[in-house]
Amino acid sequence: MARRFYDLPPLTTLAAFETAARNLSFKDASTELNVTPGAVSHQIKALEGDLGVALFKRKHRGVALTDNGILLFHALERS
Protein backbone atom coordinates (compact mmCIF):
# COMPACT_ATOMS: atom_id res chain seq x y z
CA MET A 1 0.00 0.00 0.00
CA ALA A 2 1.21 3.50 -0.78
CA ARG A 3 2.52 5.61 2.05
CA ARG A 4 0.26 8.51 3.04
CA PHE A 5 1.82 11.82 3.89
CA TYR A 6 -1.45 13.41 4.99
CA ASP A 7 -4.38 12.03 6.93
CA LEU A 8 -6.66 12.13 3.88
CA PRO A 9 -8.52 9.35 2.09
CA PRO A 10 -7.31 8.51 -1.44
CA LEU A 11 -8.36 11.17 -3.93
CA THR A 12 -9.84 8.54 -6.27
CA THR A 13 -12.38 7.60 -3.59
CA LEU A 14 -13.23 11.27 -3.03
CA ALA A 15 -13.70 11.80 -6.77
CA ALA A 16 -16.00 8.76 -7.00
CA PHE A 17 -17.97 9.98 -3.99
CA GLU A 18 -18.35 13.53 -5.33
CA THR A 19 -19.59 12.29 -8.70
CA ALA A 20 -22.00 9.78 -7.16
CA ALA A 21 -23.30 12.36 -4.66
CA ARG A 22 -23.83 14.99 -7.37
CA ASN A 23 -25.73 12.51 -9.57
CA LEU A 24 -27.31 10.53 -6.69
CA SER A 25 -26.59 7.47 -8.83
CA PHE A 26 -23.68 5.04 -8.96
CA LYS A 27 -24.63 4.19 -12.55
CA ASP A 28 -24.55 7.81 -13.73
CA ALA A 29 -21.32 8.37 -11.82
CA SER A 30 -19.78 5.35 -13.53
CA THR A 31 -20.71 6.73 -16.94
CA GLU A 32 -19.17 10.10 -16.09
CA LEU A 33 -16.00 8.51 -14.70
CA ASN A 34 -15.84 5.92 -17.50
CA VAL A 35 -15.72 2.95 -15.11
CA THR A 36 -18.20 0.23 -14.15
CA PRO A 37 -20.93 0.82 -11.54
CA GLY A 38 -19.24 -1.89 -9.46
CA ALA A 39 -16.01 0.11 -9.45
CA VAL A 40 -17.85 3.18 -8.14
CA SER A 41 -19.52 1.05 -5.49
CA HIS A 42 -16.15 -0.38 -4.39
CA GLN A 43 -14.64 3.11 -4.19
CA ILE A 44 -17.55 4.32 -2.05
CA LYS A 45 -17.28 1.28 0.24
CA ALA A 46 -13.54 1.91 0.60
CA LEU A 47 -14.16 5.56 1.50
CA GLU A 48 -16.87 4.61 4.00
CA GLY A 49 -14.48 2.10 5.56
CA ASP A 50 -11.67 4.65 5.68
CA LEU A 51 -13.89 7.28 7.32
CA GLY A 52 -15.82 4.82 9.48
CA VAL A 53 -19.24 6.22 8.56
CA ALA A 54 -21.96 5.46 6.02
CA LEU A 55 -22.19 8.12 3.31
CA PHE A 56 -25.10 6.74 1.29
CA LYS A 57 -28.41 5.08 2.09
CA ARG A 58 -28.75 2.36 -0.50
CA LYS A 59 -32.33 2.03 -1.70
CA HIS A 60 -34.02 -0.40 -4.04
CA ARG A 61 -33.75 2.15 -6.84
CA GLY A 62 -30.89 4.55 -6.34
CA VAL A 63 -29.14 6.05 -3.39
CA ALA A 64 -29.55 8.98 -1.01
CA LEU A 65 -26.96 10.81 1.04
CA THR A 66 -26.78 10.32 4.79
CA ASP A 67 -26.20 13.33 7.06
CA ASN A 68 -22.47 12.56 7.02
CA GLY A 69 -22.59 12.24 3.25
CA ILE A 70 -24.23 15.65 2.93
CA LEU A 71 -21.52 17.22 5.13
CA LEU A 72 -18.73 15.65 3.07
CA PHE A 73 -20.38 16.60 -0.22
CA HIS A 74 -20.69 20.25 0.85
CA ALA A 75 -17.06 20.28 1.99
CA LEU A 76 -15.94 18.89 -1.37
CA GLU A 77 -18.17 21.36 -3.22
CA ARG A 78 -16.50 24.27 -1.49
CA SER A 79 -12.98 23.01 -2.13
Side-chain angles (χ1 to χ4, degrees), residues 6 10-11 20 24-27 43 46 50 53 59 63 75 79:
Y6 303 101
L11 295 180
L24 287 178
S25 166
F26 289 0
K27 182 182 176 198
Q43 290 291 322
D50 203 27
V53 296
K59 299 180 177 182
V63 292
S79 61

Side-chain angles (χ1 to χ4, degrees), residues 32-50:
E32 188 174 324
L33 295 169
N34 203 28
V35 297
T36 65
V40 172
S41 179
H42 280 72
Q43 290 291 322
I44 300 300
K45 280 285 192 189
L47 181 59
E48 288 175 329
D50 203 27

Side-chain angles (χ1 to χ4, degrees), residues 1-2 6 9 14 16-18 30-31 39 42 50 59 62 66 72-77:
M1 186 161 136
Y6 303 101
L14 291 174
F17 168 78
E18 189 277 332
S30 70
T31 301
H42 280 72
D50 203 27
K59 299 180 177 182
T66 63
L72 179 59
F73 181 62
H74 289 308
L76 290 174
E77 260 185 331

Side-chain angles (χ1 to χ4, degrees), residues 58-70:
R58 284 138 176 98
K59 299 180 177 182
H60 178 65
R61 292 191 176 199
V63 292
L65 288 169
T66 63
D67 291 339
N68 289 320
I70 292 169

